[in-house]
Amino acid sequence: MMRIALNRRLILEQAVRSDDGAGGFVESWVALGTLWGEVKPRTGRLASGETGALSVTGFKITVRGAPVGQSNRPQPGQQFRMNTRVFRIEAVTERDGSGLYLLCHCEEELAP
């Protein structure tokens, strides 16, 4: 069995929309809690963003397992924050049949 090193402190965040008073909304991120994970890079690509080129890198982030519906179980649409870095969660699955770990497929966007 492969050894997993949960040595990165990650803040799990959820988007929250608030009324902006002008008929629209403002989106902000609220911390749900701290998880420890293993962060491994996948592939990268160059993409076009609103303000120009973006470097988009995929990551596999492994965290401890949690039952569906628990607030500490990551979900697509949430994000991990590691210091100033932000990893958007695209998909979450059990790493293996034991359910001890979850594998989160994430993306990080950076201006080159």
Side-chain angles (χ1 to χ4, degrees), residues 9-58:
R9 184 177 183 267
L10 304 163
I11 306 299
L12 179 61
E13 297 180 332
Q14 173 75 47
V16 176
R17 290 183 176 185
S18 305
D19 181 19
D20 69 358
F25 65 88
V26 176
E27 185 175 85
S28 60
W29 291 89
V30 175
L32 299 177
T34 301
L35 300 174
W36 288 89
E38 178 181 72
V39 179
K40 291 196 170 192
R42 293 183 301 153
T43 59
R45 61 186 166 81
L46 192 60
S48 296
E50 291 179 14
T51 59
L54 289 175
S55 170
V56 180
T57 305

